[in-house]
Amino acid sequence: MRLKLVPDETNWDFFKYRNLTFGASVVAVIASLVIWLSIGLNFGIDFLGGTTIRTESAESVDVGAYRDAIAPLGLGDVTITEVFDPTFEADQNVAQIRIQAQEGAEAVTADTIAAVETALQEVDPSITFPSVESVGPKVSGELITTALLAVGASLLAILVYIWLRFEWQFSVGAVAALFHDVIVTIGLFSLLQIRFDLATIAALLTIIGYSINDTVVIFDRLRENLIKFKKTPLIEVMNRSVNETLSRTLMTSGTTLIALLALLILGGDVIRGFVFAILWGIIVGTYSSVYVAKNIVLMLGIDRDPKKPSEAGTQFADIDA
């Protein structure tokens, strides 16, 4: 006996309400852009600048106690993480405390750092502070630029890859779906004011990779079916392709979501934003693979000239990628 999330053969009409689903996606993208521009993002220390304090102690790191000790100081965004390294001694417990730059100052002042150290020493008298480093606005601006370049470069590379492997219509549909996923995710972060930092950028890049993987799997099956069913209308071939890959899509997304839900609930505050971004991205990415990428390919159409049967559905069918 084996688990079946869907029957072996399905014939669901995924494109019955294609105008409605595509219209909803367009509205979601526009709404996300409006929210992003009007509310803005809740940038973390990586993008705002601030100070990082490294601590060492003979006692175990208690992140909750550290946070409770620092909270009365009213320093805004404070991130506390325990650092693990196989080279550490048994009694070497290391933590990293990141404090955002205070209003009107490029870095946290010496008095503020002293207040933080005093508050932590009350919790753990054995604690020491081997290093204090500051990130100024200039470095933060460079990080924002680098993050945007990373996302843009990945989208451009995917555009070229899909264009070479399939036809240009497939490439446009795939990249449009990725833009949809990224913009909607950023809009949700802006609406909920979830901290946006370098970990979130890593999550966005993960979402892009996950979404394009699902899109390519369906595109591969679509290419095969376009050659097999030369006279079948394009929308029917698309429906067949999505149905044939449905079990794989649900199994892959479902198992990933189970792991992410566990991390979201039990992983703690440090990785919650990162995990939430990936979890949301997988949901919206699975949706966009069908209702954005395939809808665009359907609207643009594909050259299925019967005089060129060997090329039906792809200009580069012989490329092994």
Side-chain angles (χ1 to χ4, degrees):
M1 181 179 293
R2 61 188 180 90
L3 176 65
K4 292 184 180 180
L5 294 182
V6 295
D8 290 333
E9 293 185 11
T10 60
N11 190 29
W12 297 342
D13 190 353
F14 288 93
F15 299 97
K16 182 177 182 180
Y17 302 104
R18 60 185 182 277
N19 293 330
L20 179 62
T21 55
F22 187 74
S25 298
V26 172
V27 171
V29 169
I30 294 174
S32 297
L33 289 172
V34 171
I35 293 171
W36 181 8
L37 295 175
S38 58
I39 300 178
L41 291 168
N42 178 22
F43 287 115
I45 297 171
D46 296 325
F47 298 136
L48 292 177
T51 296
T52 299
I53 302 174
R54 185 182 177 91
T55 71
E56 287 191 16
S57 174
E59 303 293 332
S60 299
V61 174
D62 187 337
V63 174
Y66 285 13
R67 184 174 287 110
D68 291 341
I70 297 174
L73 300 177
L75 300 178
D77 183 17
V78 177
T79 303
I80 305 173
T81 56
E82 185 173 0
V83 180
F84 297 96
D85 193 301
T87 62
F88 288 167
E89 300 293 337
D91 61 346
Q92 187 179 9
N93 301 287
V94 179
Q96 185 172 270
I97 301 170
R98 307 172 76 182
I99 306 170
Q100 74 174 47
Q102 304 303 295
E103 187 174 354
E106 292 193 358
V108 177
T109 64
D111 291 341
T112 301
I113 294 174
V116 171
E117 293 177 352
T118 300
L120 292 175
Q121 285 172 339
E122 292 179 359
V123 174
D124 182 0
S126 67
I127 197 169
T128 59
F129 308 94
S131 68
V132 177
E133 299 176 351
S134 294
V135 177
K138 182 178 179 180
V139 175
S140 299
E142 292 175 354
L143 288 175
I144 294 176
T145 302
T146 303
L148 291 174
L149 288 175
V151 176
S154 65
L155 291 174
L156 179 61
I158 288 170
L159 175 70
V160 175
Y161 167 74
I162 299 297
W163 195 343
L164 289 175
R165 185 167 182 180
F166 302 97
E167 291 189 8
W168 68 268
Q169 295 96 326
F170 290 74
S171 183
V172 172
V175 173
L178 295 182
F179 270 108
H180 167 274
D181 299 344
V182 171
I183 292 173
V184 170
T185 301
I186 292 176
L188 184 65
F189 265 66
S190 178
L191 178 65
L192 301 179
Q193 285 296 286
I194 302 172
R195 186 172 63 245
F196 194 91
D197 51 22
L198 285 178
T200 310
I201 296 297
L204 290 177
L205 293 173
T206 304
I207 291 168
I208 290 173
Y210 198 97
S211 179
I212 197 62
N213 176 66
D214 191 40
T215 301
V216 168
V217 167
I218 303 177
F219 276 170
D220 265 331
R221 183 58 57 90
L222 175 59
R223 179 171 62 181
E224 295 171 3
N225 287 335
L226 283 170
I227 298 173
K228 189 184 300 183
F229 305 99
K230 300 181 180 68
K231 297 182 180 180
T232 305
L234 178 58
I235 188 170
E236 293 184 19
V237 180
M238 281 192 168
N239 250 326
R240 174 186 288 269
S241 302
V242 176
N243 275 284
E244 288 176 351
T245 56
L246 183 60
S247 177
R248 177 263 174 203
T249 298
L250 291 180
M251 286 295 291
T252 304
S253 299
T255 51
T256 308
L257 286 175
I258 291 172
L260 289 172
L261 282 172
L263 285 174
L264 185 68
I265 297 170
L266 304 173
D269 181 66
V270 175
I271 64 170
R272 186 161 289 128
F274 172 79
V275 174
F276 177 79
I278 297 181
L279 189 146
W280 166 255
I282 287 175
I283 295 172
V284 76
T286 302
Y287 167 89
S288 68
S289 293
V290 177
Y291 293 108
V292 177
K294 308 306 177 293
N295 264 330
I296 289 178
V297 174
L298 187 62
M299 288 187 291
L300 293 176
I302 300 174
D303 181 14
R304 304 178 69 193
D305 188 347
K307 296 180 181 179
K308 301 184 293 181
S310 63
E311 298 180 7
T314 177
Q315 295 171 326
F316 302 95
D318 296 330
I319 290 181
D320 184 13

